[in-house]
mmCIF file of all heavy atoms in Angstrom:
data_model
loop_
_atom_site.group_PDB
_atom_site.id
_atom_site.type_symbol
_atom_site.label_atom_id
_atom_site.label_comp_id
_atom_site.label_asym_id
_atom_site.label_seq_id
_atom_site.Cartn_x
_atom_site.Cartn_y
_atom_site.Cartn_z
ATOM 1 N N ILE A 4 0.536 7.395 0.528
ATOM 2 C CA ILE A 4 -0.602 8.312 0.406
ATOM 3 C C ILE A 4 -1.928 7.611 0.736
ATOM 4 O O ILE A 4 -2.807 8.150 1.367
ATOM 5 C CB ILE A 4 -0.669 8.967 -0.998
ATOM 6 C CG1 ILE A 4 -1.697 10.096 -1.023
ATOM 7 C CG2 ILE A 4 -0.998 7.966 -2.078
ATOM 8 C CD1 ILE A 4 -1.272 11.311 -0.288
ATOM 9 N N ASN A 5 -2.033 6.352 0.336
ATOM 10 C CA ASN A 5 -3.260 5.579 0.645
ATOM 11 C C ASN A 5 -3.343 5.293 2.158
ATOM 12 O O ASN A 5 -4.433 5.315 2.719
ATOM 13 C CB ASN A 5 -3.295 4.287 -0.145
ATOM 14 C CG ASN A 5 -3.494 4.524 -1.628
ATOM 15 O OD1 ASN A 5 -4.056 5.552 -2.021
ATOM 16 N ND2 ASN A 5 -3.080 3.586 -2.433
ATOM 17 N N LYS A 8 -4.447 8.562 3.781
ATOM 18 C CA LYS A 8 -5.903 8.806 3.543
ATOM 19 C C LYS A 8 -6.731 7.927 4.484
ATOM 20 O O LYS A 8 -7.729 8.364 5.021
ATOM 21 C CB LYS A 8 -6.258 8.508 2.092
ATOM 22 C CG LYS A 8 -5.801 9.564 1.115
ATOM 23 C CD LYS A 8 -6.228 9.195 -0.301
ATOM 24 C CE LYS A 8 -5.758 10.244 -1.295
ATOM 25 N NZ LYS A 8 -6.143 9.889 -2.658
ATOM 26 N N LYS A 17 -13.878 9.346 13.899
ATOM 27 C CA LYS A 17 -13.837 9.387 15.367
ATOM 28 C C LYS A 17 -14.187 10.780 15.865
ATOM 29 O O LYS A 17 -14.970 10.916 16.836
ATOM 30 C CB LYS A 17 -12.439 9.010 15.840
ATOM 31 C CG LYS A 17 -12.267 8.946 17.332
ATOM 32 C CD LYS A 17 -13.002 7.772 17.912
ATOM 33 C CE LYS A 17 -12.630 7.638 19.387
ATOM 34 N NZ LYS A 17 -13.541 6.747 20.092
ATOM 35 N N ALA A 18 -13.660 11.824 15.225
ATOM 36 C CA ALA A 18 -13.970 13.194 15.612
ATOM 37 C C ALA A 18 -15.460 13.494 15.436
ATOM 38 O O ALA A 18 -16.102 14.144 16.254
ATOM 39 C CB ALA A 18 -13.132 14.192 14.816
ATOM 40 N N ASN A 24 -21.334 12.956 20.418
ATOM 41 C CA ASN A 24 -21.597 12.509 21.790
ATOM 42 C C ASN A 24 -21.609 13.709 22.762
ATOM 43 O O ASN A 24 -22.464 13.763 23.648
ATOM 44 C CB ASN A 24 -20.554 11.487 22.239
ATOM 45 C CG ASN A 24 -20.675 10.166 21.553
ATOM 46 O OD1 ASN A 24 -21.734 9.803 21.023
ATOM 47 N ND2 ASN A 24 -19.604 9.420 21.486
ATOM 48 N N VAL A 25 -20.660 14.625 22.581
ATOM 49 C CA VAL A 25 -20.622 15.785 23.455
ATOM 50 C C VAL A 25 -21.836 16.676 23.237
ATOM 51 O O VAL A 25 -22.449 17.163 24.191
ATOM 52 C CB VAL A 25 -19.311 16.560 23.247
ATOM 53 C CG1 VAL A 25 -19.289 17.854 24.036
ATOM 54 C CG2 VAL A 25 -18.088 15.714 23.614
ATOM 55 N N LYS A 27 -24.810 15.691 22.246
ATOM 56 C CA LYS A 27 -25.944 15.014 22.893
ATOM 57 C C LYS A 27 -25.937 15.216 24.409
ATOM 58 O O LYS A 27 -26.986 15.390 25.021
ATOM 59 C CB LYS A 27 -25.928 13.541 22.540
ATOM 60 C CG LYS A 27 -26.353 13.235 21.130
ATOM 61 C CD LYS A 27 -26.240 11.736 20.824
ATOM 62 C CE LYS A 27 -26.434 11.490 19.371
ATOM 63 N NZ LYS A 27 -26.208 10.099 18.995
ATOM 64 N N MET A 28 -24.758 15.205 24.998
ATOM 65 C CA MET A 28 -24.683 15.388 26.442
ATOM 66 C C MET A 28 -25.165 16.784 26.824
ATOM 67 O O MET A 28 -25.968 16.949 27.734
ATOM 68 C CB MET A 28 -23.218 15.219 26.928
ATOM 69 C CG MET A 28 -23.056 15.361 28.413
ATOM 70 S SD MET A 28 -21.447 15.947 28.957
ATOM 71 C CE MET A 28 -21.344 17.570 28.313
ATOM 72 N N ASP A 30 -27.105 18.725 25.087
ATOM 73 C CA ASP A 30 -28.543 18.825 24.771
ATOM 74 C C ASP A 30 -29.406 18.171 25.881
ATOM 75 O O ASP A 30 -30.424 18.712 26.268
ATOM 76 C CB ASP A 30 -28.851 18.155 23.398
ATOM 77 C CG ASP A 30 -30.223 18.502 22.922
ATOM 78 O OD1 ASP A 30 -30.606 19.683 22.874
ATOM 79 O OD2 ASP A 30 -30.971 17.542 22.588
ATOM 80 N N TYR A 37 -34.225 23.053 31.449
ATOM 81 C CA TYR A 37 -35.460 23.636 30.977
ATOM 82 C C TYR A 37 -36.678 23.060 31.742
ATOM 83 O O TYR A 37 -37.568 23.787 32.149
ATOM 84 C CB TYR A 37 -35.592 23.400 29.470
ATOM 85 C CG TYR A 37 -36.727 24.143 28.812
ATOM 86 C CD1 TYR A 37 -36.614 25.521 28.544
ATOM 87 C CD2 TYR A 37 -37.909 23.491 28.463
ATOM 88 C CE1 TYR A 37 -37.679 26.209 27.944
ATOM 89 C CE2 TYR A 37 -38.950 24.182 27.851
ATOM 90 C CZ TYR A 37 -38.824 25.526 27.601
ATOM 91 O OH TYR A 37 -39.837 26.206 26.985
ATOM 92 N N MET A 44 -40.376 28.319 37.735
ATOM 93 C CA MET A 44 -40.587 29.672 37.284
ATOM 94 C C MET A 44 -42.049 30.046 37.242
ATOM 95 O O MET A 44 -42.877 29.190 36.850
ATOM 96 C CB MET A 44 -39.980 29.855 35.865
ATOM 97 C CG MET A 44 -40.029 31.253 35.330
ATOM 98 S SD MET A 44 -39.183 31.365 33.712
ATOM 99 C CE MET A 44 -37.509 31.685 34.282
ATOM 100 N N TYR A 46 -45.579 31.167 35.948
ATOM 101 C CA TYR A 46 -46.176 30.857 34.626
ATOM 102 C C TYR A 46 -45.932 31.981 33.593
ATOM 103 O O TYR A 46 -45.592 31.678 32.457
ATOM 104 C CB TYR A 46 -47.674 30.569 34.783
ATOM 105 C CG TYR A 46 -48.337 30.325 33.468
ATOM 106 C CD1 TYR A 46 -48.214 29.084 32.851
ATOM 107 C CD2 TYR A 46 -49.072 31.333 32.810
ATOM 108 C CE1 TYR A 46 -48.818 28.846 31.622
ATOM 109 C CE2 TYR A 46 -49.667 31.109 31.594
ATOM 110 C CZ TYR A 46 -49.538 29.831 30.989
ATOM 111 O OH TYR A 46 -50.114 29.613 29.784
ATOM 112 N N GLU A 47 -46.164 33.216 33.990
ATOM 113 C CA GLU A 47 -46.041 34.350 33.026
ATOM 114 C C GLU A 47 -44.604 34.436 32.495
ATOM 115 O O GLU A 47 -44.392 34.658 31.289
ATOM 116 C CB GLU A 47 -46.445 35.663 33.691
ATOM 117 C CG GLU A 47 -47.870 35.748 34.166
ATOM 118 C CD GLU A 47 -48.110 35.008 35.487
ATOM 119 O OE1 GLU A 47 -47.169 34.865 36.305
ATOM 120 O OE2 GLU A 47 -49.235 34.580 35.701
ATOM 121 N N GLN A 51 -43.082 33.491 28.490
ATOM 122 C CA GLN A 51 -42.197 34.341 27.686
ATOM 123 C C GLN A 51 -40.925 33.556 27.307
ATOM 124 O O GLN A 51 -40.413 33.637 26.206
ATOM 125 C CB GLN A 51 -41.811 35.632 28.409
ATOM 126 C CG GLN A 51 -40.914 36.539 27.637
ATOM 127 C CD GLN A 51 -41.494 36.930 26.274
ATOM 128 O OE1 GLN A 51 -42.685 37.263 26.153
ATOM 129 N NE2 GLN A 51 -40.688 36.841 25.237
ATOM 130 N N ALA A 58 -37.318 30.917 19.480
ATOM 131 C CA ALA A 58 -36.454 31.785 18.657
ATOM 132 C C ALA A 58 -35.006 31.296 18.741
ATOM 133 O O ALA A 58 -34.273 31.285 17.749
ATOM 134 C CB ALA A 58 -36.564 33.229 19.117
ATOM 135 N N ALA A 70 -22.544 26.302 9.601
ATOM 136 C CA ALA A 70 -21.296 25.535 9.819
ATOM 137 C C ALA A 70 -21.112 24.478 8.756
ATOM 138 O O ALA A 70 -19.996 24.260 8.280
ATOM 139 C CB ALA A 70 -21.331 24.896 11.217
ATOM 140 N N ALA A 71 -22.192 23.835 8.373
ATOM 141 C CA ALA A 71 -22.141 22.797 7.315
ATOM 142 C C ALA A 71 -21.752 23.435 5.986
ATOM 143 O O ALA A 71 -20.935 22.869 5.231
ATOM 144 C CB ALA A 71 -23.440 22.047 7.192
ATOM 145 N N TRP A 74 -18.072 23.990 5.256
ATOM 146 C CA TRP A 74 -17.324 22.797 4.898
ATOM 147 C C TRP A 74 -17.700 22.264 3.528
ATOM 148 O O TRP A 74 -17.081 21.335 3.039
ATOM 149 C CB TRP A 74 -17.513 21.705 5.952
ATOM 150 C CG TRP A 74 -16.605 21.912 7.133
ATOM 151 C CD1 TRP A 74 -16.851 22.746 8.200
ATOM 152 C CD2 TRP A 74 -15.340 21.369 7.342
ATOM 153 N NE1 TRP A 74 -15.795 22.696 9.060
ATOM 154 C CE2 TRP A 74 -14.840 21.834 8.559
ATOM 155 C CE3 TRP A 74 -14.545 20.456 6.629
ATOM 156 C CZ2 TRP A 74 -13.627 21.496 9.080
ATOM 157 C CZ3 TRP A 74 -13.324 20.093 7.148
ATOM 158 C CH2 TRP A 74 -12.864 20.617 8.351
ATOM 159 N N GLY A 77 -17.786 18.590 2.988
ATOM 160 C CA GLY A 77 -16.569 17.828 3.227
ATOM 161 C C GLY A 77 -16.704 16.901 4.422
ATOM 162 O O GLY A 77 -17.690 16.893 5.140
ATOM 163 N N THR A 81 -19.865 17.088 9.378
ATOM 164 C CA THR A 81 -20.603 16.570 10.550
ATOM 165 C C THR A 81 -20.037 17.093 11.833
ATOM 166 O O THR A 81 -20.782 17.530 12.713
ATOM 167 C CB THR A 81 -20.588 15.030 10.516
ATOM 168 O OG1 THR A 81 -21.175 14.549 9.314
ATOM 169 C CG2 THR A 81 -21.332 14.447 11.732
ATOM 170 N N ALA A 87 -20.994 23.388 16.276
ATOM 171 C CA ALA A 87 -21.849 24.597 16.295
ATOM 172 C C ALA A 87 -23.034 24.380 17.194
ATOM 173 O O ALA A 87 -23.391 25.257 17.989
ATOM 174 C CB ALA A 87 -22.302 24.914 14.854
ATOM 175 N N ALA A 91 -23.637 26.420 20.903
ATOM 176 C CA ALA A 91 -24.882 27.181 21.105
ATOM 177 C C ALA A 91 -25.650 26.609 22.284
ATOM 178 O O ALA A 91 -26.178 27.366 23.122
ATOM 179 C CB ALA A 91 -25.727 27.155 19.840
ATOM 180 N N ASP A 107 -33.823 34.393 42.612
ATOM 181 C CA ASP A 107 -33.605 34.455 44.072
ATOM 182 C C ASP A 107 -33.913 35.819 44.609
ATOM 183 O O ASP A 107 -33.880 36.826 44.094
ATOM 184 C CB ASP A 107 -32.197 34.058 44.419
ATOM 185 C CG ASP A 107 -31.931 32.593 44.129
ATOM 186 O OD1 ASP A 107 -32.912 31.834 44.136
ATOM 187 O OD2 ASP A 107 -30.783 32.226 43.936
#
Side-chain angles (χ1 to χ4, degrees):
I4 191 73
N5 291 336
K8 284 180 181 180
K17 182 72 172 166
N24 290 338
V25 174
K27 286 177 188 173
M28 182 208 64
D30 191 52
Y37 190 76
M44 185 176 273
Y46 177 79
E47 298 79 26
Q51 181 57 45
W74 278 83
T81 299
D107 293 335

